[in-house]
Amino acid sequence: MGFLDFLFGGGNKKKRSKETVQTRGEHMPDLKIPVDEKFTIQFKKNGGKFIYCDSLDEVHEAFGNILKENQWESLDFYCLNDALRERFSSFGTRFTEMLSKANILLTTCEHLVAQNGSILVTSNQIREIKLTELPDNIIVMATTSQLIESIGEGLKLIKKKYKGQIPTNITTLKHFQPTQENAKDFLTYGSSSKHLYLLLLEDL
């Protein structure tokens, strides 16, 4: 099943086993499903909000809708990426250089990890900032080519990409809004939970 078919349905669907990622025990071997589908399932299970876009125009539209939906138009954004600042400047977005004053983090990422639905970031995106110090609200801009199977694969790709200058503070954003399924996780990790939107641009 393709990525768009999984999100929106349609087409002739083959009969599938009733066993899914959600119903399978956590210690059982992974089901052989596409990496994009697995990421979507795990990301939503973690409580993340996900918007698929097939063009930059759709990215802009989605960003504007997020601002309106949450009434974020007049709030301060923290962003370390100059390209993102420029891309969304047409919305009159206010950026602050002071993390303590920011209401929302706008960032890219290194990879999207299908294994656990997390977002792999490094000091390239958040410097040496601890997850608990980041704003509670986060918007991540990523592309479908950044989807990977596991954290181990992501670390290998980071090592290969940056060679002798491997970034520090390599970590994952995983715990988003609490859901019925991840409630137990939030008892432990609530201090670093985030209200997160993922703008996923098709680039393959």
Side-chain angles (χ1 to χ4, degrees):
M1 181 184 291
F3 192 45
L4 290 177
D5 290 333
F6 173 70
L7 289 176
F8 304 113
N12 295 323
K13 299 180 181 178
K14 297 179 180 179
K15 289 186 178 180
R16 290 188 164 205
S17 167
K18 292 182 180 180
E19 185 177 52
T20 65
V21 170
Q22 294 97 323
T23 61
R24 196 172 179 83
E26 64 175 311
H27 299 297
M28 295 292 287
D30 286 343
L31 291 172
K32 298 298 182 182
I33 61 174
V35 66
D36 50 11
E37 184 176 337
K38 185 184 293 186
F39 174 79
T40 303
I41 292 169
Q42 297 295 348
F43 180 75
K44 289 182 176 179
K45 181 179 177 182
N46 292 339
K49 297 182 179 179
F50 163 129
I51 303 172
Y52 176 82
C53 307
D54 62 11
S55 68
L56 285 174
D57 286 341
E58 288 193 4
V59 169
H60 280 251
E61 181 181 356
F63 184 82
N65 289 337
I66 290 171
L67 298 188
K68 291 178 183 177
E69 177 183 335
N70 295 281
Q71 299 181 333
W72 286 351
E73 294 95 337
S74 61
L75 299 184
D76 291 326
F77 282 73
Y78 185 77
C79 181
L80 298 173
N81 186 295
D82 292 337
L84 283 187
R85 283 177 177 245
E86 183 176 352
R87 176 167 290 156
F88 297 113
S89 61
S90 60
F91 291 90
T93 308
R94 291 191 335 200
F95 293 99
T96 178
E97 301 299 324
M98 298 182 64
L99 179 64
S100 60
K101 290 188 176 182
N103 306 105
I104 306 119
L105 171 68
L106 176 62
T107 186
T108 58
C109 66
E110 296 289 346
H111 294 289
L112 306 172
V113 184
Q115 186 179 48
N116 61 3
S118 67
I119 298 176
L120 186 60
V121 295
T122 69
S123 53
N124 289 331
Q125 290 82 40
I126 61 172
R127 293 181 179 165
E128 303 304 320
I129 302 168
K130 297 177 182 178
L131 294 184
T132 53
E133 297 171 343
L134 294 173
D136 290 335
N137 305 302
I138 299 176
I139 301 176
V140 176
M141 173 80 188
T143 60
T144 51
S145 62
Q146 290 176 286
L147 285 161
I148 58 172
E149 178 65 36
S150 66
I151 293 176
E153 180 184 349
L155 295 177
K156 289 180 181 178
L157 290 171
I158 288 173
K159 184 177 181 180
K160 181 179 179 181
K161 179 180 179 180
Y162 297 105
K163 296 183 178 179
Q165 297 181 327
I166 298 175
T168 56
N169 196 21
I170 300 173
T171 188
T172 58
L173 300 170
K174 179 182 176 183
H175 299 281
F176 314 127
Q177 289 297 293
T179 66
Q180 185 175 0
E181 290 180 303
N182 69 16
K184 291 183 180 179
D185 286 342
F186 273 80
L187 294 177
T188 303
Y189 300 102
S191 60
S192 62
S193 63
K194 304 297 175 184
H195 177 210
L196 188 142
Y197 285 90
L198 173 62
L199 299 176
L200 184 62
L201 175 64
E202 173 65 61
D203 69 338
L204 294 174

